[in-house]
Amino acid sequence: MQKILFAVLGVLMLVHTSMARAALSIEIIGAGEHQIPVSIVPFGGDEKLGLAINEVVTGDLLRSGLFRLVDPAGKSPHEAAEVHYPDWQVRGTEALAIGTVSAQADGRIVARFRLLDVVKQVELIGQAVSAGDGQIRAVGHRIADLIYEKLTGNQGVFSTRIAYVNRQGKIFSLIVADSDGHNEQIVLKQNEPIMSPSWSPDGSHLAYVSFETGHAAVFVQSLYTHQRKAVANFRGSNSAPAWSPDGKQLAVVLTRDGSSQIYLMRPDGGEIRRITFSGAIDTEPNFSPDGQSMLFTSDRGGSAQVYRMPVAGGAAQRLTFAAGSSYSPRHSPDGKSFVFAHLSGGRFYISLQDFQTGQMEALTEGGWEKKPSFAPNGRLILFASEARGRGILATVSSDGRVKQHMYTQSGDAREPVWGPHL
Amino acid sequence: MKKLVISIVLVNLLAACASQKPHETTAVPAAPAASAAATAPATASAVAAKTAVDPLNDPTSILAGRSVYYPFDVAAVQDADKPLVQAHAAYLSKNTARNVRLEGNCDERGSNEYNLALGQRRADGVMKMLELGGAKTGQLDSVSYGEEKPKATGHEESSWSQNRRTDLNYAK
C-alpha cells in the first residue's frame, strides 16, 4: 500500500515539475496604431528548426504591438531570387522575412536570413545568425531584434532577459527567463522569501534579498559561476539593492543604525557609507542613467512618495504629489521620465511622470499592479500584476497602448525586473 | 540544564501531538516532568515547579497575547495593545533568561520593500517599548517579514487587519 502511495506521489510530482517547467503562456490586450504589415515565411533547410524560429519571431513581433502579420498564403520563397514581389504587394505586406536554417555537425544552429522591402523591392538585411546547441529560441529572438530595429529605428529587446520571483506556497524561486518568459532558469530555490532582484549593468550578476538567514539580507550572485555572497547582513533588515550605472557601487537599504536608510557600498560589501539621514523610511533607491542622482521612496512627508536626491549628497526633492501613495520609482533609459506604482483609492496603477513637466499619466487601468521596470529600449514596461487570483507578469508599452499578460503555469510571479542588453 | 528544558518541551510537544488537545497538555506539565526526573533527579523538580508557575504558559494571563495590531501604514503601538506590551516588558525584566524575537508584518498594500521597512519599524517600536519597560537589550531581537509571510491571503480588510501585526516570539 505504501509503495503504491509513493508511486502515485511520484507521478504527481513529475506532473507538477513538468507544469512548473512549462513556459509562460501569453495574452495580448489591445493593439497599437500604425502597425507595420510584415510577412514571415517559415525558413527552409531544417523544417523543424524553421518552424521553431518562426514561432519565436512572430511571437516577439506581435507582442511589441508595432506589427501586423500578413499570412504568406502558401508562398514559401527561401532565397531572394525566388521572391516574386507583386505576389506580396497585392497582400499589402511591406516587409518580407525569408531564410534557411541548419544544424551544424557540432550542434550549432546557423540561420541565414533576409529582410526585403516589398514596396521598394530591395534587400534591407542579409545576415547569418548562429547560436550554440539547442539555443534555437536565441536565434529567433536575435532575428526578431534585427527586424524590429530595421523597421522601427529603435533597438530591439527580444534577446534580453528578465528576472522575477515565483512563490508557490512557501517555496520561493528566483527565476531568470527570456524576455518572452520562456527558457526559465532557476537561480535560487528555498523555503524562505526572496525579494527585489536587481541586474548588474553588464547582466553578469543579480543582487537580491533573501531571508535564508532568518532576516532580510542582501546577496550578490554570479549568473555564470553561480557563486554567491551575502554582502549586507547586519541586524534588522538589509534590502533594496540597486546598481550604479558603472557597476562599481551598490545602493542598499539598512536598518543597522535605526530606521530604513540608504547606503552606498562596493558590490562586494566593502566601503559602506550612509547617504540619507531622514529618520523616516527611505527605500527603493534607483540611480539615474548618468549616475548623478537617485530616485527613492520615502515617507518623510507623512505618506510614501517618490523623492530625488544627488548621489553625492544634498537635499532631497519630492516629485509625486497625487492623492494616495507612490512607490518603486525607476528611471526611463533616456533619463527623461520615471515609472512608479501609484496606490490610490485601494488600487495600484503603473504610472509615468515626466521630469521636466512634472505631468503624471496612468499607463494601466488599475488593479494589483506593482514593481514596474523599463525594457532597456524604453518602449516597454514590465510589472507585477494579478489575474484569476494569481500573481502574473505583465508589460505595457510606454505610451500605454499595448498590454500583455504572461501567465506562469503555477504559483505567483512577483518582483519582476527587466535586464540590460548583453 | 538547557538540554533538560529542551527535552521537557519536546515531551510536551509529543504529548500535545498524541492527544490532539494542546490546551489541556500545556496546563499539566506534571507527567513529562516526572519522566524527565527519572534521567536527572537533581534538577527536574525545580524545573517542574518553575514551569508550573510560569505565567507565560498560563492561557488566562495577559501574557498569552503575543500579537500587536496596527492600522494601515502605522507603526506606533496602539493604546489598546499597550497593556499587553507593558506586561511582557515586566515579565522579561523579571525573567532575564527569557529571550523574545519581535517579528513585524504588513498587509500587501504598499511595495514589498516599503512594507519590509514598515514591518521593521513596527517590530523596533515594540522592542523599544519593551526596553523602556525594563527588558534588557540582550533579551530582544527584531526582524521584519514585510508582506512576505502573510497569515491571511485575501485581498480585503479582514485579511489585511490580521497581517498588520508584530508577533512576540519567545525563544524556546
Side-chain angles (χ1 to χ4, degrees):
Chain A
M1 177 59 190
Q2 205 170 25
K3 263 188 192 167
I4 295 173
L5 259 181
F6 271 118
V8 170
L9 269 178
V11 170
L12 282 175
M13 283 172 79
L14 275 176
V15 169
H16 192 73
T17 310
S18 62
M19 274 177 69
R21 276 200 200 131
L24 308 174
S25 64
I26 283 156
E27 209 169 84
I28 299 165
I29 301 148
E33 289 172 15
H34 315 302
Q35 291 176 314
I36 303 167
V38 295
S39 291
I40 317 287
V41 177
F43 287 6
D46 185 320
E47 195 181 326
K48 208 174 132 196
L49 291 178
L51 286 172
I53 289 179
N54 192 262
E55 185 199 317
V56 175
V57 174
T58 55
D60 283 350
L61 295 180
L62 273 180
R63 246 185 355 271
S64 74
L66 299 178
F67 300 91
R68 181 165 57 83
L69 291 179
V70 178
D71 184 36
K75 294 272 187 289
S76 56
H78 301 308
E79 302 295 339
E82 298 166 13
V83 174
H84 184 236
Y85 281 106
D87 289 347
W88 301 93
Q89 288 166 344
V90 295
R91 284 188 200 117
T93 194
E94 289 177 12
L96 173 65
I98 59 171
T100 58
V101 59
S102 60
Q104 308 293 297
D106 63 356
R108 281 191 80 74
I109 295 156
V110 178
R112 296 172 204 290
F113 110 101
R114 294 176 198 285
L115 183 66
L116 307 170
D117 183 326
V118 171
V119 180
K120 291 181 186 157
Q121 306 192 12
V122 293
E123 182 176 297
L124 298 171
I125 305 174
Q127 195 168 331
V129 175
S130 68
D133 197 2
Q135 296 185 38
I136 189 71
R137 299 194 72 87
V139 172
H141 289 311
R142 184 72 197 115
I143 290 170
D145 277 337
L146 290 166
I147 295 170
Y148 179 94
E149 283 161 20
K150 183 55 86 177
L151 298 181
T152 71
N154 295 308
Q155 194 170 19
V157 290
F158 304 120
S159 298
T160 59
R161 312 208 76 196
I162 61 173
Y164 64 94
V165 176
N166 182 280
R167 178 175 69 182
Q168 185 143 26
K170 287 182 177 173
I171 309 289
F172 289 77
S173 303
L174 177 58
I175 309 271
V176 167
D178 288 357
S179 65
D180 59 359
H182 285 267
N183 195 16
E184 295 168 57
Q185 283 158 7
I186 296 174
V187 176
L188 177 71
K189 187 172 185 176
Q190 62 184 29
N191 289 326
E192 291 293 334
I194 302 169
M195 286 172 58
S196 306
S198 174
W199 291 88
S200 66
D202 65 0
S204 66
H205 289 74
L206 280 180
Y208 55 84
V209 175
S210 166
F211 285 70
E212 68 200 66
T213 60
H215 68 149
V218 176
F219 287 74
V220 170
Q221 181 165 350
S222 164
L223 292 175
Y224 303 131
T225 68
H226 299 292
Q227 275 191 313
R228 57 200 293 268
K229 184 188 176 192
V231 297
N233 191 12
F234 301 100
R235 75 152 290 278
S237 296
N238 307 261
S239 68
W243 299 78
S244 64
D246 63 7
K248 290 177 180 166
Q249 285 186 303
L250 204 58
V252 293
V253 171
L254 309 178
T255 61
R256 65 172 195 176
D257 301 319
S259 70
S260 295
Q261 298 284 285
I262 300 171
Y263 296 71
L264 291 180
M265 60 197 270
R266 284 200 318 254
D268 66 1
E271 292 180 45
I272 299 182
R273 67 192 170 90
R274 183 173 169 180
I275 59 167
T276 65
F277 299 87
S278 69
I281 290 173
D282 292 341
T283 189
E284 303 187 297
N286 174 249
F287 284 89
S288 60
D290 66 5
Q292 297 298 304
S293 64
M294 189 178 270
L295 292 171
F296 62 100
T297 307
S298 177
D299 73 339
R300 58 184 66 188
S303 64
Q305 300 294 342
V306 175
Y307 289 76
R308 178 165 64 171
M309 67 174 281
V311 171
Q317 176 198 2
R318 179 172 165 176
L319 299 180
T320 54
F321 294 92
S325 307
S326 294
Y327 307 90
S328 311
R330 305 274 301 201
H331 287 87
S332 62
D334 65 9
K336 291 178 179 168
S337 61
F338 65 98
V339 69
F340 61 101
H342 180 214
L343 175 63
S344 175
R347 291 166 80 78
F348 272 101
Y349 302 80
I350 301 302
S351 292
L352 186 72
Q353 186 163 320
D354 186 282
F355 277 115
Q356 203 167 17
T357 65
Q359 203 157 16
M360 185 189 107
E361 175 196 2
L363 299 178
T364 60
E365 288 83 37
W368 213 254
E369 297 168 338
K370 290 176 152 190
K371 202 68 187 275
S373 68
F374 275 98
N377 70 355
R379 295 286 158 156
L380 286 170
I381 292 154
L382 174 69
F383 59 96
S385 185
E386 202 179 64
R388 296 163 203 166
R390 288 198 297 121
I392 60 160
L393 307 183
T395 60
V396 59
S397 56
S398 52
D399 60 5
R401 280 210 185 107
V402 184
K403 293 178 182 72
Q404 170 201 337
H405 281 181
M406 294 189 259
Y407 289 96
T408 45
Q409 293 294 314
S410 55
D412 292 309
R414 52 214 316 260
E415 301 276 280
V417 60
W418 208 313
H421 280 297
L422 293 180
Chain B
M1 173 61 189
K2 200 170 178 184
K3 264 188 192 163
L4 179 63
V5 173
I6 288 169
S7 71
I8 289 172
V9 168
L10 279 176
V11 172
N12 255 325
L13 283 174
L14 285 173
C17 291
S19 69
Q20 296 291 310
K21 288 175 191 165
H23 290 298
E24 288 175 27
T25 51
T26 48
V28 192
S35 69
T39 53
T43 53
S45 58
V47 171
K50 198 177 172 188
T51 309
V53 298
D54 190 342
L56 208 53
N57 297 332
D58 178 359
T60 63
S61 163
I62 186 171
L63 296 174
R66 304 287 167 83
S67 296
V68 172
Y69 296 90
Y70 305 87
F72 172 64
D73 205 6
V74 167
V77 176
Q78 302 297 289
D79 285 345
D81 285 327
K82 280 178 182 165
L84 173 73
V85 178
Q86 282 154 359
H88 281 282
Y91 174 81
L92 286 162
S93 70
K94 280 187 216 116
N95 297 270
T96 51
R98 297 307 300 252
N99 297 326
V100 69
R101 183 153 100 147
L102 295 323
E103 301 172 347
N105 294 274
C106 300
D107 71 32
E108 59 188 352
R109 292 172 296 168
S111 64
N112 299 38
E113 280 289 352
Y114 181 82
N115 282 330
L116 184 72
L118 180 62
Q120 188 70 45
R121 192 193 259 171
R122 284 176 176 163
D124 286 345
V126 174
M127 189 159 80
K128 207 161 281 173
M129 194 175 276
L130 291 173
E131 276 177 317
L132 288 171
K136 296 282 174 291
T137 309
Q139 293 174 270
L140 309 171
D141 188 20
S142 67
V143 65
S144 174
Y145 298 134
E147 61 169 277
E148 301 299 312
K149 294 188 173 186
K151 194 182 216 173
T153 54
H155 291 325
E156 71 293 306
E157 179 56 25
S158 61
S159 287
W160 293 335
S161 60
Q162 294 180 62
N163 295 335
R164 295 189 301 264
R165 190 180 83 249
T166 295
D167 289 330
L168 293 89
N169 191 354
Y170 278 87
K172 293 285 190 294

